[in-house]
Short mmCIF file of all heavy atoms in Angstrom, two decimals:
data_model
loop_
_atom_site.label_atom_id
_atom_site.label_comp_id
_atom_site.label_asym_id
_atom_site.label_seq_id
_atom_site.Cartn_x
_atom_site.Cartn_y
_atom_site.Cartn_z
N MET U 1277 0.87 -1.21 0.03
CA MET U 1277 0.01 0.01 0.00
C MET U 1277 0.91 1.23 0.01
O MET U 1277 1.83 1.35 0.74
CB MET U 1277 -0.88 -0.01 1.25
CG MET U 1277 -1.63 1.27 1.44
SD MET U 1277 -2.62 1.30 2.96
CE MET U 1277 -4.13 0.67 2.32
N THR U 1278 0.58 2.18 -0.86
CA THR U 1278 1.31 3.43 -0.92
C THR U 1278 0.59 4.45 -0.12
O THR U 1278 -0.64 4.61 -0.19
CB THR U 1278 1.40 3.91 -2.37
OG1 THR U 1278 1.95 2.89 -3.19
CG2 THR U 1278 2.21 5.18 -2.45
N THR U 1279 1.32 5.17 0.76
CA THR U 1279 0.73 6.16 1.57
C THR U 1279 1.17 7.55 1.06
O THR U 1279 2.22 7.70 0.46
CB THR U 1279 1.18 6.05 3.04
OG1 THR U 1279 2.58 6.14 3.12
CG2 THR U 1279 0.69 4.72 3.62
N THR U 1280 0.27 8.52 1.24
CA THR U 1280 0.59 9.88 0.75
C THR U 1280 1.10 10.78 1.88
O THR U 1280 1.60 11.83 1.60
CB THR U 1280 -0.68 10.53 0.16
OG1 THR U 1280 -1.68 10.56 1.12
CG2 THR U 1280 -1.13 9.74 -1.10
N LYS U 1281 0.98 10.36 3.11
CA LYS U 1281 1.39 11.20 4.26
C LYS U 1281 2.72 10.59 4.85
O LYS U 1281 2.92 9.40 4.74
CB LYS U 1281 0.35 11.22 5.33
CG LYS U 1281 -0.88 11.96 4.93
CD LYS U 1281 -1.77 12.22 6.11
CE LYS U 1281 -2.97 12.99 5.68
NZ LYS U 1281 -3.80 13.35 6.85
N SER U 1282 3.51 11.46 5.36
CA SER U 1282 4.74 11.02 6.01
C SER U 1282 4.78 11.53 7.44
O SER U 1282 4.35 12.62 7.74
CB SER U 1282 5.90 11.71 5.23
OG SER U 1282 7.11 11.45 5.88
N PHE U 1283 5.21 10.58 8.30
CA PHE U 1283 5.29 10.89 9.72
C PHE U 1283 6.70 10.55 10.14
O PHE U 1283 6.96 9.44 10.58
CB PHE U 1283 4.21 10.17 10.50
CG PHE U 1283 2.86 10.61 10.28
CD1 PHE U 1283 2.07 9.95 9.30
CD2 PHE U 1283 2.30 11.71 10.91
CE1 PHE U 1283 0.76 10.40 9.02
CE2 PHE U 1283 1.01 12.12 10.63
CZ PHE U 1283 0.30 11.48 9.71
N PRO U 1284 7.64 11.52 9.99
CA PRO U 1284 9.03 11.21 10.40
C PRO U 1284 9.10 10.84 11.88
O PRO U 1284 8.38 11.37 12.69
CB PRO U 1284 9.70 12.58 10.14
CG PRO U 1284 8.88 13.31 9.19
CD PRO U 1284 7.46 12.86 9.44
N GLY U 1285 9.93 9.86 12.13
CA GLY U 1285 10.11 9.37 13.51
C GLY U 1285 9.17 8.25 13.87
O GLY U 1285 9.21 7.75 14.96
N TRP U 1286 8.32 7.82 12.91
CA TRP U 1286 7.36 6.75 13.13
C TRP U 1286 7.58 5.66 12.08
O TRP U 1286 7.75 5.96 10.92
CB TRP U 1286 5.95 7.25 13.03
CG TRP U 1286 5.53 8.13 14.15
CD1 TRP U 1286 5.65 9.46 14.19
CD2 TRP U 1286 4.90 7.72 15.39
NE1 TRP U 1286 5.14 9.96 15.41
CE2 TRP U 1286 4.67 8.95 16.14
CE3 TRP U 1286 4.51 6.51 15.93
CZ2 TRP U 1286 4.08 8.90 17.41
CZ3 TRP U 1286 3.89 6.53 17.20
CH2 TRP U 1286 3.70 7.68 17.90
N GLU U 1287 7.52 4.43 12.53
CA GLU U 1287 7.56 3.25 11.64
C GLU U 1287 6.12 2.71 11.61
O GLU U 1287 5.53 2.48 12.67
CB GLU U 1287 8.54 2.23 12.20
CG GLU U 1287 8.73 1.03 11.31
CD GLU U 1287 9.56 1.29 10.09
OE1 GLU U 1287 10.42 2.19 10.12
OE2 GLU U 1287 9.31 0.62 9.08
N ILE U 1288 5.59 2.49 10.42
CA ILE U 1288 4.23 1.97 10.28
C ILE U 1288 4.22 0.59 9.74
O ILE U 1288 4.93 0.32 8.67
CB ILE U 1288 3.41 2.94 9.37
CG1 ILE U 1288 3.32 4.33 9.99
CG2 ILE U 1288 2.00 2.34 9.18
CD1 ILE U 1288 2.65 5.36 9.17
N LEU U 1289 3.50 -0.29 10.39
CA LEU U 1289 3.42 -1.74 9.97
C LEU U 1289 1.95 -2.13 9.89
O LEU U 1289 1.08 -1.59 10.60
CB LEU U 1289 4.07 -2.61 11.03
CG LEU U 1289 5.53 -2.31 11.34
CD1 LEU U 1289 5.96 -3.15 12.57
CD2 LEU U 1289 6.43 -2.62 10.19
N GLU U 1290 1.68 -3.16 9.06
CA GLU U 1290 0.39 -3.77 9.03
C GLU U 1290 0.27 -4.71 10.23
O GLU U 1290 1.22 -5.46 10.52
CB GLU U 1290 0.13 -4.51 7.75
CG GLU U 1290 -0.01 -3.62 6.52
CD GLU U 1290 -0.44 -4.38 5.28
OE1 GLU U 1290 -1.28 -5.24 5.37
OE2 GLU U 1290 0.20 -4.16 4.23
N GLY U 1291 -0.86 -4.65 10.94
CA GLY U 1291 -1.05 -5.55 12.10
C GLY U 1291 -1.29 -6.95 11.62
O GLY U 1291 -1.91 -7.17 10.58
N ALA U 1292 -0.88 -7.96 12.39
CA ALA U 1292 -1.11 -9.35 12.04
C ALA U 1292 -2.52 -9.72 11.93
O ALA U 1292 -2.93 -10.52 11.10
CB ALA U 1292 -0.36 -10.23 13.05
N GLY U 1293 -3.38 -9.12 12.80
CA GLY U 1293 -4.80 -9.46 12.82
C GLY U 1293 -5.63 -8.41 12.06
O GLY U 1293 -6.83 -8.37 12.17
N GLY U 1294 -4.91 -7.55 11.30
CA GLY U 1294 -5.64 -6.43 10.57
C GLY U 1294 -5.30 -5.13 11.26
O GLY U 1294 -4.73 -5.02 12.31
N GLY U 1295 -5.62 -4.07 10.51
CA GLY U 1295 -5.29 -2.73 11.02
C GLY U 1295 -3.86 -2.38 10.81
O GLY U 1295 -3.08 -3.10 10.16
N TYR U 1296 -3.47 -1.27 11.43
CA TYR U 1296 -2.08 -0.73 11.29
C TYR U 1296 -1.55 -0.31 12.64
O TYR U 1296 -2.31 0.13 13.49
CB TYR U 1296 -2.12 0.44 10.34
CG TYR U 1296 -2.58 0.03 8.97
CD1 TYR U 1296 -3.95 0.05 8.58
CD2 TYR U 1296 -1.68 -0.47 8.02
CE1 TYR U 1296 -4.38 -0.45 7.40
CE2 TYR U 1296 -2.14 -0.90 6.76
CZ TYR U 1296 -3.43 -0.89 6.47
OH TYR U 1296 -3.85 -1.33 5.21
N ILE U 1297 -0.23 -0.41 12.76
CA ILE U 1297 0.43 -0.06 14.02
C ILE U 1297 1.59 0.88 13.66
O ILE U 1297 2.35 0.62 12.72
CB ILE U 1297 1.03 -1.36 14.68
CG1 ILE U 1297 -0.07 -2.35 14.93
CG2 ILE U 1297 1.79 -0.96 15.96
CD1 ILE U 1297 0.45 -3.77 15.20
N ALA U 1298 1.71 1.93 14.44
CA ALA U 1298 2.86 2.88 14.26
C ALA U 1298 3.61 2.91 15.58
O ALA U 1298 3.02 2.92 16.68
CB ALA U 1298 2.37 4.26 13.89
N PHE U 1299 4.94 2.85 15.49
CA PHE U 1299 5.72 2.95 16.74
C PHE U 1299 6.84 3.94 16.45
O PHE U 1299 7.39 4.09 15.38
CB PHE U 1299 6.30 1.61 17.24
CG PHE U 1299 7.20 0.98 16.30
CD1 PHE U 1299 8.57 1.16 16.37
CD2 PHE U 1299 6.76 0.10 15.30
CE1 PHE U 1299 9.45 0.52 15.51
CE2 PHE U 1299 7.64 -0.53 14.40
CZ PHE U 1299 8.95 -0.35 14.51
N ARG U 1300 7.24 4.69 17.56
CA ARG U 1300 8.28 5.68 17.41
C ARG U 1300 9.64 4.99 17.23
O ARG U 1300 9.91 3.97 17.81
CB ARG U 1300 8.34 6.53 18.67
CG ARG U 1300 7.24 7.51 18.81
CD ARG U 1300 7.50 8.49 19.90
NE ARG U 1300 6.37 9.25 20.23
CZ ARG U 1300 6.06 10.48 19.63
NH1 ARG U 1300 6.89 10.96 18.78
NH2 ARG U 1300 4.97 11.11 19.99
N THR U 1301 10.46 5.58 16.39
CA THR U 1301 11.75 5.05 16.21
C THR U 1301 12.69 5.46 17.34
O THR U 1301 13.73 4.80 17.60
CB THR U 1301 12.38 5.47 14.79
OG1 THR U 1301 12.33 6.87 14.74
CG2 THR U 1301 11.54 4.86 13.68
N VAL U 1302 12.38 6.57 17.96
CA VAL U 1302 13.09 7.01 19.21
C VAL U 1302 11.99 7.19 20.24
O VAL U 1302 11.12 8.05 20.11
CB VAL U 1302 13.81 8.34 18.97
CG1 VAL U 1302 14.48 8.85 20.27
CG2 VAL U 1302 14.87 8.19 17.88
N LEU U 1303 12.04 6.40 21.32
CA LEU U 1303 10.98 6.42 22.31
C LEU U 1303 10.98 7.72 23.16
O LEU U 1303 12.05 8.30 23.36
CB LEU U 1303 11.17 5.21 23.28
CG LEU U 1303 11.13 3.85 22.56
CD1 LEU U 1303 11.29 2.75 23.62
CD2 LEU U 1303 9.80 3.63 21.82
N VAL U 1304 9.84 8.13 23.55
CA VAL U 1304 9.68 9.27 24.44
C VAL U 1304 9.51 8.72 25.88
O VAL U 1304 9.04 7.63 26.12
CB VAL U 1304 8.45 10.14 24.08
CG1 VAL U 1304 8.66 10.74 22.72
CG2 VAL U 1304 7.18 9.32 24.06
N PRO U 1305 9.88 9.53 26.92
CA PRO U 1305 9.85 9.01 28.27
C PRO U 1305 8.42 8.96 28.77
O PRO U 1305 7.58 9.74 28.34
CB PRO U 1305 10.70 10.07 29.07
CG PRO U 1305 10.70 11.28 28.19
CD PRO U 1305 10.53 10.79 26.77
N ASP U 1306 8.21 8.09 29.79
CA ASP U 1306 6.90 8.04 30.53
C ASP U 1306 6.66 9.43 31.14
O ASP U 1306 7.60 10.10 31.52
CB ASP U 1306 6.99 7.03 31.64
CG ASP U 1306 6.94 5.60 31.09
OD1 ASP U 1306 6.53 5.36 29.93
OD2 ASP U 1306 7.26 4.71 31.88
N GLY U 1307 5.46 9.79 31.15
CA GLY U 1307 5.02 11.10 31.77
C GLY U 1307 5.14 12.26 30.80
O GLY U 1307 4.92 13.39 31.20
N SER U 1308 5.60 12.02 29.54
CA SER U 1308 5.69 13.12 28.57
C SER U 1308 4.39 13.55 28.01
O SER U 1308 4.25 14.51 27.37
CB SER U 1308 6.66 12.72 27.47
OG SER U 1308 6.07 11.67 26.68
N GLY U 1309 3.34 12.69 28.17
CA GLY U 1309 2.04 13.00 27.54
C GLY U 1309 1.99 12.55 26.12
O GLY U 1309 0.96 12.73 25.48
N LEU U 1310 3.06 11.93 25.64
CA LEU U 1310 3.06 11.42 24.30
C LEU U 1310 3.08 9.88 24.27
O LEU U 1310 3.41 9.28 25.29
CB LEU U 1310 4.30 11.94 23.53
CG LEU U 1310 4.41 13.47 23.42
CD1 LEU U 1310 5.76 13.80 22.90
CD2 LEU U 1310 3.31 13.98 22.60
N SER U 1311 2.75 9.31 23.14
CA SER U 1311 2.70 7.84 23.00
C SER U 1311 3.86 7.30 22.20
O SER U 1311 4.34 8.01 21.32
CB SER U 1311 1.41 7.44 22.28
OG SER U 1311 0.28 7.88 22.93
N ASN U 1312 4.29 6.13 22.52
CA ASN U 1312 5.34 5.45 21.74
C ASN U 1312 4.69 4.52 20.68
O ASN U 1312 5.39 4.20 19.68
CB ASN U 1312 6.22 4.64 22.64
CG ASN U 1312 7.16 5.58 23.39
OD1 ASN U 1312 7.82 6.43 22.81
ND2 ASN U 1312 7.22 5.43 24.68
N VAL U 1313 3.45 4.16 20.83
CA VAL U 1313 2.73 3.27 19.91
C VAL U 1313 1.35 3.83 19.73
O VAL U 1313 0.68 4.23 20.66
CB VAL U 1313 2.66 1.86 20.46
CG1 VAL U 1313 1.85 0.94 19.51
CG2 VAL U 1313 4.02 1.25 20.75
N ARG U 1314 0.93 3.85 18.47
CA ARG U 1314 -0.48 4.20 18.10
C ARG U 1314 -1.00 3.17 17.10
O ARG U 1314 -0.23 2.68 16.30
CB ARG U 1314 -0.51 5.58 17.46
CG ARG U 1314 -0.15 6.74 18.37
CD ARG U 1314 -1.00 6.94 19.62
NE ARG U 1314 -2.38 7.08 19.40
CZ ARG U 1314 -3.08 8.19 19.64
NH1 ARG U 1314 -2.44 9.23 20.06
NH2 ARG U 1314 -4.38 8.25 19.41
N CYS U 1315 -2.28 2.87 17.17
CA CYS U 1315 -2.90 1.91 16.29
C CYS U 1315 -4.12 2.49 15.61
O CYS U 1315 -4.70 3.45 16.08
CB CYS U 1315 -3.32 0.70 17.09
SG CYS U 1315 -2.01 -0.08 17.98
N GLY U 1316 -4.51 1.89 14.49
CA GLY U 1316 -5.73 2.30 13.81
C GLY U 1316 -6.28 1.13 12.99
O GLY U 1316 -5.52 0.32 12.45
N ALA U 1317 -7.60 0.99 12.89
CA ALA U 1317 -8.20 -0.04 12.12
C ALA U 1317 -8.00 0.14 10.63
O ALA U 1317 -7.87 -0.78 9.89
CB ALA U 1317 -9.70 -0.09 12.45
N THR U 1318 -7.89 1.41 10.22
CA THR U 1318 -7.63 1.81 8.87
C THR U 1318 -6.46 2.75 8.79
O THR U 1318 -6.08 3.35 9.79
CB THR U 1318 -8.86 2.41 8.19
OG1 THR U 1318 -9.10 3.70 8.91
CG2 THR U 1318 -10.10 1.56 8.28
N MET U 1319 -5.86 2.94 7.63
CA MET U 1319 -4.78 3.85 7.51
C MET U 1319 -5.27 5.29 7.80
O MET U 1319 -4.55 6.03 8.51
CB MET U 1319 -4.17 3.76 6.10
CG MET U 1319 -2.84 4.49 5.98
SD MET U 1319 -1.52 3.82 7.05
CE MET U 1319 -1.07 2.33 6.18
N PRO U 1320 -6.40 5.75 7.32
CA PRO U 1320 -6.88 7.12 7.69
C PRO U 1320 -7.02 7.29 9.20
O PRO U 1320 -6.70 8.32 9.71
CB PRO U 1320 -8.21 7.26 6.97
CG PRO U 1320 -8.09 6.35 5.76
CD PRO U 1320 -7.27 5.18 6.24
N GLU U 1321 -7.53 6.24 9.88
CA GLU U 1321 -7.64 6.37 11.36
C GLU U 1321 -6.31 6.43 12.03
O GLU U 1321 -6.08 7.24 12.91
CB GLU U 1321 -8.40 5.12 11.86
CG GLU U 1321 -8.58 5.17 13.38
CD GLU U 1321 -9.34 3.92 13.92
OE1 GLU U 1321 -9.75 3.07 13.13
OE2 GLU U 1321 -9.45 3.80 15.15
N LEU U 1322 -5.29 5.67 11.56
CA LEU U 1322 -3.97 5.76 12.09
C LEU U 1322 -3.37 7.14 11.83
O LEU U 1322 -2.79 7.69 12.76
CB LEU U 1322 -3.10 4.64 11.53
CG LEU U 1322 -1.63 4.67 11.97
CD1 LEU U 1322 -1.50 4.53 13.51
CD2 LEU U 1322 -0.84 3.62 11.25
N PHE U 1323 -3.58 7.66 10.66
CA PHE U 1323 -3.04 9.01 10.35
C PHE U 1323 -3.64 10.00 11.32
O PHE U 1323 -2.94 10.93 11.77
CB PHE U 1323 -3.37 9.36 8.92
CG PHE U 1323 -2.53 8.69 7.89
CD1 PHE U 1323 -2.89 8.79 6.56
CD2 PHE U 1323 -1.39 7.96 8.22
CE1 PHE U 1323 -2.04 8.13 5.57
CE2 PHE U 1323 -0.63 7.31 7.26
CZ PHE U 1323 -0.96 7.38 5.93
N GLU U 1324 -4.95 9.95 11.59
CA GLU U 1324 -5.51 10.85 12.57
C GLU U 1324 -4.91 10.76 13.93
O GLU U 1324 -4.62 11.74 14.57
CB GLU U 1324 -7.06 10.59 12.62
CG GLU U 1324 -7.74 11.51 13.69
CD GLU U 1324 -7.55 13.01 13.50
OE1 GLU U 1324 -7.44 13.48 12.32
OE2 GLU U 1324 -7.48 13.75 14.49
N HIS U 1325 -4.64 9.51 14.33
CA HIS U 1325 -3.96 9.33 15.68
C HIS U 1325 -2.50 9.91 15.67
O HIS U 1325 -2.12 10.50 16.68
CB HIS U 1325 -3.93 7.85 16.02
CG HIS U 1325 -5.28 7.25 16.26
ND1 HIS U 1325 -5.52 5.91 16.40
CD2 HIS U 1325 -6.55 7.82 16.37
CE1 HIS U 1325 -6.79 5.74 16.65
NE2 HIS U 1325 -7.44 6.85 16.57
N LEU U 1326 -1.84 9.74 14.57
CA LEU U 1326 -0.50 10.30 14.49
C LEU U 1326 -0.52 11.85 14.44
O LEU U 1326 0.30 12.52 15.06
CB LEU U 1326 0.25 9.75 13.29
CG LEU U 1326 0.56 8.24 13.41
CD1 LEU U 1326 1.20 7.77 12.11
CD2 LEU U 1326 1.42 7.90 14.59
N GLU U 1327 -1.54 12.42 13.79
CA GLU U 1327 -1.69 13.87 13.75
C GLU U 1327 -1.99 14.38 15.15
O GLU U 1327 -1.57 15.45 15.56
CB GLU U 1327 -2.77 14.26 12.78
CG GLU U 1327 -2.30 14.09 11.32
CD GLU U 1327 -3.42 14.17 10.29
OE1 GLU U 1327 -4.64 14.23 10.67
OE2 GLU U 1327 -3.07 14.16 9.11
N GLN U 1328 -2.75 13.61 15.98
CA GLN U 1328 -2.97 14.03 17.37
C GLN U 1328 -1.67 14.04 18.09
O GLN U 1328 -1.44 14.97 18.93
CB GLN U 1328 -3.92 12.96 18.04
CG GLN U 1328 -5.34 12.99 17.54
CD GLN U 1328 -6.17 11.86 18.11
OE1 GLN U 1328 -5.67 11.03 18.86
NE2 GLN U 1328 -7.40 11.81 17.71
N GLU U 1329 -0.78 13.12 17.88
CA GLU U 1329 0.55 13.12 18.52
C GLU U 1329 1.29 14.36 18.14
O GLU U 1329 1.95 15.01 19.00
CB GLU U 1329 1.34 11.92 18.13
CG GLU U 1329 0.86 10.62 18.79
CD GLU U 1329 1.00 10.61 20.33
OE1 GLU U 1329 2.08 10.98 20.80
OE2 GLU U 1329 0.04 10.23 20.97
N LEU U 1330 1.23 14.81 16.88
CA LEU U 1330 1.94 15.99 16.46
C LEU U 1330 1.36 17.20 17.15
O LEU U 1330 2.10 18.11 17.55
CB LEU U 1330 1.85 16.17 14.93
CG LEU U 1330 2.56 15.11 14.11
CD1 LEU U 1330 2.30 15.30 12.60
CD2 LEU U 1330 4.06 15.24 14.37
N ARG U 1331 0.03 17.26 17.29
CA ARG U 1331 -0.57 18.42 17.99
C ARG U 1331 -0.16 18.43 19.48
O ARG U 1331 0.10 19.50 20.01
CB ARG U 1331 -2.07 18.37 17.82
CG ARG U 1331 -2.55 18.75 16.43
CD ARG U 1331 -4.03 18.93 16.35
NE ARG U 1331 -4.83 17.74 16.62
CZ ARG U 1331 -5.21 16.80 15.75
NH1 ARG U 1331 -4.86 17.00 14.47
NH2 ARG U 1331 -5.92 15.77 16.07
N ARG U 1332 -0.15 17.28 20.08
CA ARG U 1332 0.29 17.22 21.55
C ARG U 1332 1.73 17.70 21.68
O ARG U 1332 2.09 18.31 22.67
CB ARG U 1332 0.15 15.79 22.04
CG ARG U 1332 -1.20 15.34 22.30
CD ARG U 1332 -1.21 13.92 22.92
NE ARG U 1332 -2.54 13.47 23.09
CZ ARG U 1332 -2.91 12.23 22.92
NH1 ARG U 1332 -2.01 11.31 22.67
NH2 ARG U 1332 -4.13 11.89 23.10
N ARG U 1333 2.58 17.32 20.76
CA ARG U 1333 4.02 17.67 20.85
C ARG U 1333 4.19 19.16 20.73
O ARG U 1333 5.09 19.73 21.39
CB ARG U 1333 4.78 16.95 19.75
CG ARG U 1333 6.27 17.17 19.92
CD ARG U 1333 7.04 16.31 18.92
NE ARG U 1333 8.35 16.17 19.53
CZ ARG U 1333 8.93 15.02 19.78
NH1 ARG U 1333 8.30 13.90 19.59
NH2 ARG U 1333 10.11 14.99 20.27
N ARG U 1334 3.36 19.86 20.01
CA ARG U 1334 3.51 21.27 19.79
C ARG U 1334 2.99 22.11 21.00
O ARG U 1334 3.35 23.26 21.17
CB ARG U 1334 2.69 21.74 18.60
CG ARG U 1334 3.33 21.21 17.30
CD ARG U 1334 2.57 21.68 16.05
NE ARG U 1334 3.15 21.00 14.95
CZ ARG U 1334 2.38 20.37 14.04
NH1 ARG U 1334 1.09 20.29 14.15
NH2 ARG U 1334 2.98 19.76 12.98
N ARG U 1335 2.09 21.46 21.79
CA ARG U 1335 1.60 22.19 23.01
C ARG U 1335 2.59 22.12 24.14
O ARG U 1335 3.21 21.13 24.37
CB ARG U 1335 0.31 21.47 23.53
CG ARG U 1335 -0.88 21.93 22.85
CD ARG U 1335 -2.17 21.38 23.49
NE ARG U 1335 -2.55 20.23 22.73
CZ ARG U 1335 -3.26 19.20 23.22
NH1 ARG U 1335 -3.56 19.16 24.50
NH2 ARG U 1335 -3.61 18.21 22.47
N PRO U 1336 2.75 23.24 24.82
CA PRO U 1336 3.69 23.24 25.97
C PRO U 1336 3.11 22.33 27.11
O PRO U 1336 1.86 22.31 27.30
CB PRO U 1336 3.77 24.66 26.47
CG PRO U 1336 2.55 25.31 25.84
CD PRO U 1336 2.18 24.55 24.67
N SER U 1337 3.94 21.65 27.80
CA SER U 1337 3.54 20.77 28.91
C SER U 1337 3.05 21.66 30.04
O SER U 1337 3.67 22.63 30.39
CB SER U 1337 4.67 19.91 29.31
OG SER U 1337 4.78 19.75 30.64
N PRO U 1338 1.91 21.28 30.72
CA PRO U 1338 1.48 22.11 31.91
C PRO U 1338 2.51 22.11 32.97
O PRO U 1338 2.65 23.15 33.67
CB PRO U 1338 0.18 21.36 32.34
CG PRO U 1338 -0.20 20.49 31.22
CD PRO U 1338 1.01 20.23 30.39
N THR U 1339 3.22 21.02 33.21
CA THR U 1339 4.21 20.98 34.26
C THR U 1339 5.37 21.98 33.96
O THR U 1339 5.77 22.76 34.74
CB THR U 1339 4.80 19.56 34.39
OG1 THR U 1339 3.75 18.68 34.59
CG2 THR U 1339 5.82 19.50 35.51
N ARG U 1340 5.78 21.92 32.66
CA ARG U 1340 6.90 22.87 32.28
C ARG U 1340 6.48 24.30 32.38
O ARG U 1340 7.19 25.14 32.89
CB ARG U 1340 7.38 22.57 30.86
CG ARG U 1340 8.51 23.47 30.43
CD ARG U 1340 8.86 23.43 28.98
NE ARG U 1340 9.18 22.04 28.61
CZ ARG U 1340 9.07 21.60 27.37
NH1 ARG U 1340 8.60 22.36 26.42
NH2 ARG U 1340 9.40 20.37 27.03
N THR U 1341 5.22 24.61 31.94
CA THR U 1341 4.70 25.99 32.00
C THR U 1341 4.69 26.48 33.47
O THR U 1341 5.11 27.56 33.74
CB THR U 1341 3.34 26.08 31.34
OG1 THR U 1341 3.43 25.56 30.02
CG2 THR U 1341 2.86 27.50 31.27
N ALA U 1342 4.15 25.65 34.36
CA ALA U 1342 4.10 26.08 35.76
C ALA U 1342 5.45 26.25 36.38
O ALA U 1342 5.72 27.20 37.10
CB ALA U 1342 3.30 25.02 36.56
N ARG U 1343 6.39 25.39 36.06
CA ARG U 1343 7.71 25.49 36.56
C ARG U 1343 8.44 26.70 36.01
O ARG U 1343 9.11 27.44 36.73
CB ARG U 1343 8.54 24.25 36.17
CG ARG U 1343 9.89 24.18 36.77
CD ARG U 1343 10.60 22.85 36.50
NE ARG U 1343 10.37 22.46 35.14
CZ ARG U 1343 10.20 21.20 34.76
NH1 ARG U 1343 10.22 20.23 35.63
NH2 ARG U 1343 9.98 20.88 33.50
N ASP U 1344 8.24 27.02 34.70
CA ASP U 1344 8.90 28.19 34.10
C ASP U 1344 8.34 29.50 34.63
O ASP U 1344 9.05 30.50 34.76
CB ASP U 1344 8.71 28.16 32.56
CG ASP U 1344 9.49 27.01 31.96
OD1 ASP U 1344 10.37 26.46 32.61
OD2 ASP U 1344 9.19 26.73 30.81
N ALA U 1345 7.07 29.48 35.11
CA ALA U 1345 6.41 30.67 35.64
C ALA U 1345 6.91 30.99 37.03
O ALA U 1345 6.86 32.12 37.50
CB ALA U 1345 4.89 30.57 35.61
N ALA U 1346 7.40 30.03 37.73
CA ALA U 1346 7.82 30.20 39.14
C ALA U 1346 9.13 30.90 39.20
O ALA U 1346 9.90 31.06 38.39
CB ALA U 1346 7.96 28.88 39.78
#
């Protein structure tokens, strides 16, 4: 299957039981608010989940914002 979107830093595989799995090539730490693995029943659903990760990454962390304000 050819995909039209690119998500650098993610490896996308077809799931053995169907659907698609994406995992980060460089893991993020626990507590970061980000995921290391995302799944979707269809490729468009997986793309939406990966786009959510991109939006989360662009938002400042509430912990960091509170610490920087102090």
